[in-house]
Amino acid sequence: MAPQRAWALAPAACALLVVATMAQQDAKSVVVSLRAKWKSTSLTLEAAEFLADERPDLFWKFIDSFTTDVVSVDDPNCKQALLNRVEQADLLSRQMTKMFDISLSMRKYSPKVEFLRTLAERAPPADGSCCWVQMGEETVVTAEQLKRALSANIVSNGTSPELFDHVHPAAMPGTPVAVLYGAPGVPCFAPFHQMLAAQSTVTYVL
C-alpha cells in the first residue's frame, strides 16, 4: 500500500477504535426480574426436573443421593449445594453443568414444579403429612403403614402413571401403582423412597 493511502486510512481506523472503546465503556449488565403469580418453588425439585429431561436415570441417581442427608429448603446456599451435589455425583458433563446452573438461575422449571404441586394439593392426607403414598384409594402416611401395605397381597388398583410422572426403572409392567408425594431432602422422604425403590411388586411413581 502506498504511504499516502495508508495515512489516509489512519484517521478512520482511529475513529473506529474510539467508537469501540466508548461502546465498551457504556456497556452495562442487564438484570431481568420476573414475578410469577405463585410462590417460589423448590430449587431441588427444579433441579430434578432438569435432570429428568436429560435422562431418567440421572433423575433417579439424583433422588437416591438424598437418602442419607436432609436439605433445608430455606438454605440461602441451596443452589450452590445442588451444583456441588451434581458435580460430586458426576451426573453431568462440564458443559451440561453450566446449562444446569443457568436453568436454576432462570428458574426454568418453576412453572412445572408449581403445576405438580397444585396436583398434589388436590388430595392431601388428613393429618397434614409432608410425605405420603397413594395406592389406589389407600393413603399411606407412615413408613410402617407402607411396609404393611407392601407386605399384603396387592392387587392392581387401576391407576396408570401420567406422562409427566417419573416411573422408577425397577417397575414391572402391570403392577399396582404407588405414587409418592414428597420432596427429596425432607426427613420423611428417604424411608418411603428406599422402600418403594426396592419393590418390584409395585410401579413406583414420583
Side-chain angles (χ1 to χ4, degrees), residues 47-56 58-59 108-109 112 166:
E49 292 300 333
F50 175 95
L51 294 168
D53 275 357
E54 289 303 307
R55 288 204 324 261
L58 295 180
F59 170 87
K108 177 182 176 180
Y109 287 91
K112 183 175 183 180
H166 307 293

Side-chain angles (χ1 to χ4, degrees), residues 32-81:
V32 178
S33 178
L34 299 178
R35 291 189 177 184
K37 294 183 178 180
W38 56 86
K39 295 179 181 179
S40 179
T41 51
S42 164
L43 271 181
T44 300
L45 297 181
E46 292 178 35
E49 292 300 333
F50 175 95
L51 294 168
D53 275 357
E54 289 303 307
R55 288 204 324 261
D57 64 303
L58 295 180
F59 170 87
W60 288 107
K61 288 178 181 178
F62 180 71
I63 297 301
D64 286 339
S65 73
F66 287 92
T67 56
T68 57
D69 56 359
V70 176
V71 177
S72 172
V73 294
D74 297 321
D75 183 0
N77 299 315
C78 181
K79 179 187 169 188
Q80 187 57 52

